[in-house]
Amino acid sequence: MKKVVLAYSGGLDTSVCIPLLREHYGYDEVISVLVDVGQQEADIIRAVERGKRLSDIFKLINAQDEFVSDYIFPLIKANGNYEGYVLGTAIARSLIAKKVVEVAKDENAEAVAHGCTGKGNDQLRFDAVFWAADLDVIAPVRELSLTREEEKKYALEHGISFEAEKRWSIDENIWSRSIGGSELENPAFFPPEEVYQWTVSQDKAPDNADIIKIEFAQGIPVSVDGQSTTTTGVSLINALNKVGGKHGVGRTDMIEDRVLGYKARETYEHPAATILLEAHRDLERLVLTRNELRFKEFVDRTWSELVYQGLVMDPLYDALNAFIERTQERVNGAVYVKLERGLARVVGRESKNSLYSSTDVSFETRQEQGQKGQGQGIVEGFSIYHSFQARKFSEL
Ligand code: ARG
């Protein structure tokens, strides 16, 4: 019996894949896997109902905790950011693909499949994980080069009905909501308010700001406003999405360079991501040395590019994580973030690992000749050499 495991989302693309895998590719059993990474509950329910009806075997896997602990926390430590994008869709794909591979191994399937087209990044992310697992990889929508219209017709012929056509293409998980398609494909088109579901617009945000305290332990957020005991990573992020969204924090409208080179217009919302990334980066500035910070900027950017490309199986990804882990040992402390009218601004920070010294830096105290040879006279000497090469140049 020929078995294939499909990464299922409940949408049109992956739904037409099910009959295609039987009729066009000759599989006897289609096993659909829906991975819950924090999509909206109503979408999950609809997808489960449809997936069960169409597939031979259907599996729903709740991977929210794993998503947060093994993917989002490392992302926070790496200040994950690709051209201004917080990498929500990108990083979830690697996990979804991994879960699909696990099912394929359990079920002794010979192939895995996804419903991506040939235009985006997601095909590359799924393929990368799938190929590494030594299974046949099938991408029906890409291989048959189906248009949306052809898909709809084929779906109808197979009793797959889609209620009112959705205007936007949405991908959602606990870290971010990506909104694209339709008129948004015109980069000059202003996103209407309706595309945003998690955030209010700046002018609807309340006048009164909230200041929240976020505590980090080794680079990981462990509590908000002191409530650590009841807080798991998932509930912490959900809580920040709520309070951030209320203040209109975390909207992005950008032009993005896809891996294939296409420029794409993308809109996102991600309140918790904005708050946590702002806070984490700020705390690093307090506890890491200048040299560490400069070097880590490059590490973080390379890390983000690998995640964007879906290359988390590249040995470089592990190596970068090892470096990042080491730096995070001292990223402990609290950051105070003010949420106000679309902005999340850090207004205070403290840490037992702080490299800041008010007596050293203050303008209020004299720079005395200290025990360790610091002092006014020493600085004057340093300063003469500070611009040495520039001075030589100006003398030519
Ligand atoms: N551009 C983002 C990425 O490649 C998001 C893609 C999904 N967007 C969507 N609206 N379905 O990661």
Side-chain angles (χ1 to χ4, degrees):
M1 186 146 92
K2 277 178 67 169
K3 292 187 191 181
V4 57
V5 182
L6 168 71
Y8 187 69
S9 73
L12 178 65
D13 288 326
T14 56
S15 293
V16 298
C17 281
I18 299 171
L20 278 173
L21 286 166
R22 289 196 197 102
E23 290 174 10
H24 193 272
Y25 292 88
Y27 283 93
D28 306 303
E29 193 169 277
V30 180
I31 303 165
S32 301
V33 175
L34 175 67
V35 181
D36 179 353
V37 280
Q39 302 90 314
Q40 230 154 73
E41 220 172 293
D43 290 340
I44 299 248
I45 291 168
R46 221 173 304 127
V48 168
E49 185 275 317
R50 187 174 284 146
K52 278 187 175 159
R53 188 161 49 80
L54 297 172
S55 325
D56 297 295
I57 297 179
F58 176 83
K59 286 182 194 286
L60 171 67
I61 298 175
N62 184 339
Q64 287 195 33
D65 287 322
E66 184 177 348
F67 183 45
V68 170
S69 60
D70 295 0
Y71 293 78
I72 297 303
F73 285 168
L75 186 153
I76 294 170
K77 295 176 188 175
N79 300 310
N81 182 311
Y82 175 81
E83 299 184 349
Y85 163 44
V86 299
L87 292 166
T89 297
I91 198 160
R93 294 302 184 235
S94 304
L95 170 61
I96 294 168
K98 178 175 161 236
K99 291 285 152 200
V100 167
V101 166
E102 282 171 13
V103 173
K105 300 273 179 197
D106 281 353
E107 297 280 342
N108 280 318
E110 59 198 63
V112 281
H114 62 71
C116 305
T117 68
K119 294 200 174 172
N121 297 315
D122 284 340
Q123 54 175 335
L124 308 171
R125 298 166 182 154
F126 277 111
D127 284 353
V129 176
F130 284 177
W131 285 120
D134 201 24
L135 292 157
D136 285 342
V137 179
I138 306 165
V141 176
R142 178 177 67 192
E143 284 158 23
L144 304 173
S145 193
L146 296 174
T147 65
R148 268 235 34 117
E149 277 317 306
E150 289 164 343
E151 284 184 38
K152 276 190 228 161
K153 189 163 163 274
Y154 183 81
L156 222 60
E157 287 165 11
H158 289 79
I160 308 169
S161 66
F162 278 81
E163 53 298 320
E165 181 60 30
K166 281 208 188 119
R167 188 159 162 212
W168 316 107
S169 153
I170 289 160
D171 178 69
E172 194 178 47
N173 59 53
I174 186 171
W175 194 236
S176 74
R177 210 170 149 264
S178 309
I179 314 121
S182 193
E183 295 104 307
L184 285 171
E185 289 183 350
N186 171 6
F189 176 80
F190 301 170
E193 263 316 294
E194 64 158 87
V195 308
Y196 299 108
Q197 298 283 312
W198 292 6
T199 54
V200 300
S201 76
Q202 218 170 327
D203 49 288
K204 295 258 165 54
D207 288 331
N208 291 340
D210 274 317
I211 295 181
I212 54 174
K213 177 188 184 186
I214 300 170
E215 270 177 283
F216 288 87
Q218 304 191 332
I220 292 171
V222 289
S223 80
V224 175
D225 289 334
Q227 294 178 335
S228 61
T229 43
T230 54
T231 312
T232 64
V234 171
S235 59
L236 182 143
I237 292 170
N238 282 331
L240 289 177
N241 274 331
K242 208 163 241 149
V243 64
K246 185 183 94 181
H247 287 282
V249 166
R251 287 187 178 184
T252 306
D253 179 348
M254 62 183 282
I255 299 293
E256 180 179 305
D257 291 292
R258 287 192 189 155
V259 182
L260 289 176
Y262 297 129
K263 285 197 182 286
R265 192 282 183 87
E266 301 286 351
T267 38
Y268 302 106
E269 52 185 347
H270 41 78
T274 296
I275 295 166
L276 289 170
L277 291 171
E278 284 292 330
H280 177 266
R281 207 177 304 118
D282 187 277
L283 188 56
E284 282 194 335
R285 288 194 197 109
L286 186 66
V287 301
L288 299 186
T289 65
R290 175 169 57 190
N291 287 339
E292 284 179 301
L293 288 169
R294 294 298 174 269
F295 188 71
K296 190 167 180 293
E297 251 175 58
F298 178 64
V299 170
D300 290 347
R301 198 178 73 212
T302 308
W303 188 99
S304 299
E305 281 170 4
L306 284 177
V307 166
Y308 187 77
Q309 296 161 1
L311 295 179
V312 296
M313 73 301 296
D314 191 302
L316 179 60
Y317 181 69
D318 256 356
L320 296 180
N321 277 322
F323 168 81
I324 293 169
E325 264 323 303
R326 187 63 199 266
T327 62
Q328 299 304 292
E329 287 169 10
R330 281 169 289 131
V331 184
N332 305 303
V335 181
Y336 298 83
V337 184
K338 187 171 187 178
L339 308 176
E340 188 176 32
R341 296 222 163 257
L343 288 177
R345 279 181 302 121
V346 174
V347 291
R349 71 288 283 161
E350 61 203 8
S351 169
K352 66 178 196 296
N353 300 95
S354 171
L355 298 178
Y356 178 92
S357 154
S358 55
T359 42
D360 285 340
V361 77
S362 174
F363 294 120
E364 311 296 329
T365 55
R366 199 191 308 283
Q367 197 166 26
E368 300 289 0
Q369 196 71 43
Q371 286 171 310
K372 287 181 187 149
Q374 287 166 233
Q376 211 85 42
I378 304 279
V379 175
E380 274 163 26
F382 173 87
S383 191
I384 288 166
Y385 284 96
H386 178 57
S387 56
F388 182 79
Q389 293 193 348
R391 194 162 63 245
K392 278 290 162 212
F393 172 79
S394 72
E395 283 167 10
L396 289 178

